[in-house]
């Protein structure tokens, strides 16, 4: 058992750019220092959990954490994007999960090694439904939350991001050419925690349910 590959997905080419430590309260929770620049890492396209599939806790971790995050889908190629033009590079906003094998990540961090195995494994990126950004009055005031087994475990608002969406697009495009279909995970607020088999997770953005999944 485990994640079943979708043969059609082999032709998709996109990358997931994730921002770490973008909410002050989450930094305090993990005892991280407040950085002077965003923390950036990449998940491969194979990390996307296929739609309608359950998430299987990988055998190499005893401590997989959920991290609910607001997502931005890039709609055209760009590099060195000026912050004032960043809004032209996306039309859709979503919600997802940055699953993290926290035990493995801690080991890798201690050794000064890259996090990819802890963050980029198969199924580690849940991408929910997309909504047109025109649905929202102010992207810097979006409420979002994650429920685990009907209990709210994470609650955030994009007003509390240290780096806003347009700043993030400008920043990451200095290093990585952004392409149509790329997704930016904008960081998680406080409340990250462990998933267990049979948990049921539901993510909502401004009270609209954008994803739900079962943990196996
Ligand atoms: Zn994250």
């Amino acid at each position: 058992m485990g994640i079943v590959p979708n043969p059609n997905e082999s032709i998709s080419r996109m990358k997931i750019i994730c921002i770490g430590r973008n909410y002050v309260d989450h930094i305090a929770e993990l005892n991280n220092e407040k950085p002077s620049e965003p923390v950036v890492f990449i998940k491969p396209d194979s990390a996307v959990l296929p739609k309608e599939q359950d998430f299987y806790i990988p055998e190499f971790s005893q401590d997989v954490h959920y991290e609910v995050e607001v997502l931005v889908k890039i709609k055209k190629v760009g590099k060195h994007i000026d912050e004032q033009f960043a809004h032209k590079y996306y039309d859709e906003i979503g919600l997802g999960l940055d699953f993290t094998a926290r035990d493995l990540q801690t080991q890798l961090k201690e050794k000064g090694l890259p996090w990819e195995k802890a963050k980029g494994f198969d199924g580690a990126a849940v991408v929910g439904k997309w909504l047109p950004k025109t649905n929202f009055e102010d992207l810097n005031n979006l409420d979002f939350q994650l429920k685990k087994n009907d209990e709210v475990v994470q609650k955030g608002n994009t007003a509390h991001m240290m780096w806003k969406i347009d700043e993030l697009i400008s920043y990451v495009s200095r290093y990585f050419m952004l392409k149509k279909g790329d997704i930016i995970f904008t960081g998680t607020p406080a409340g990250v925690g462990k998933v267990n088999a049979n948990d049921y997770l539901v993510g909502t953005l401004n009270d609209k349910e954008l994803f739900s999944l079962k943990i196996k």
Side-chain angles (χ1 to χ4, degrees):
M1 288 301 274
I3 292 164
V4 182
N6 174 347
N8 296 321
E9 269 165 0
S10 59
I11 53 164
S12 76
R13 287 198 191 90
M14 50 81 85
K15 59 186 172 295
I16 298 169
I17 301 172
C18 299
I19 307 301
R21 304 174 197 165
N22 199 22
Y23 287 82
V24 180
D25 50 359
H26 177 58
I27 290 176
E29 180 177 73
L30 293 182
N31 293 315
N32 287 318
E33 285 172 38
K34 184 176 171 176
S36 54
E37 292 186 77
V39 174
V40 178
F41 57 94
I42 300 245
K43 292 183 193 248
D45 59 3
S46 49
V48 176
L49 184 68
K51 295 258 176 277
E52 316 297 334
Q53 285 201 29
D54 301 323
F55 174 80
Y56 286 81
I57 297 171
E59 80 289 344
F60 53 76
S61 178
Q62 314 312 318
D63 194 23
V64 171
H65 281 197
Y66 50 76
E67 295 189 355
V68 69
E69 313 201 358
V70 170
L71 313 185
V72 180
K73 193 197 274 178
I74 298 298
K75 69 163 183 176
K76 62 177 182 180
V77 170
K79 59 194 288 185
H80 295 284
I81 299 165
D82 200 282
E83 191 187 321
Q84 62 174 318
F85 302 121
H87 66 96
K88 297 176 187 251
Y89 289 82
Y90 62 96
D91 283 337
E92 291 173 283
I93 298 292
L95 194 73
L97 290 172
D98 165 18
F99 276 125
T100 304
R102 194 72 71 202
D103 44 359
L104 183 54
Q105 187 196 27
T106 303
Q107 284 172 28
L108 293 167
K109 272 185 181 173
E110 278 168 3
K111 294 182 188 159
L113 294 171
W115 300 350
E116 270 75 4
K117 288 190 288 183
K119 289 275 200 182
F121 58 86
D122 295 349
V126 172
V127 177
K129 289 184 198 130
W130 294 99
L131 296 171
K133 70 177 178 190
T134 48
N135 280 19
F136 306 106
E137 243 168 72
D138 182 3
L139 296 182
N140 294 323
N141 185 20
L142 301 176
D143 274 314
F144 59 102
Q145 65 172 33
L146 180 71
K147 279 186 187 172
K148 187 175 94 167
N149 308 328
D150 282 331
E151 180 202 338
V152 177
V153 286
Q154 280 191 282
K155 219 171 159 41
N157 185 293
T158 53
H160 303 133
M161 286 174 147
M162 286 192 286
W163 290 279
K164 308 298 182 203
I165 291 170
D166 290 357
E167 287 175 276
L168 291 173
I169 286 176
S170 175
Y171 181 81
V172 299
S173 72
R174 284 158 53 186
Y175 300 89
F176 306 108
M177 183 195 299
L178 297 179
K179 292 179 166 183
K180 186 178 176 176
D182 287 350
I183 298 173
I184 301 181
F185 275 60
T186 60
T188 196
V192 302
K194 188 180 176 179
V195 290
N196 292 296
N198 300 316
D199 281 345
Y200 186 65
L201 302 177
V202 177
T204 56
L205 180 65
N206 279 7
D207 292 327
K208 262 208 164 60
E209 185 179 314
L210 295 192
F211 67 79
S212 62
L213 73 157
K214 212 172 175 169
I215 308 298
K216 295 272 178 99

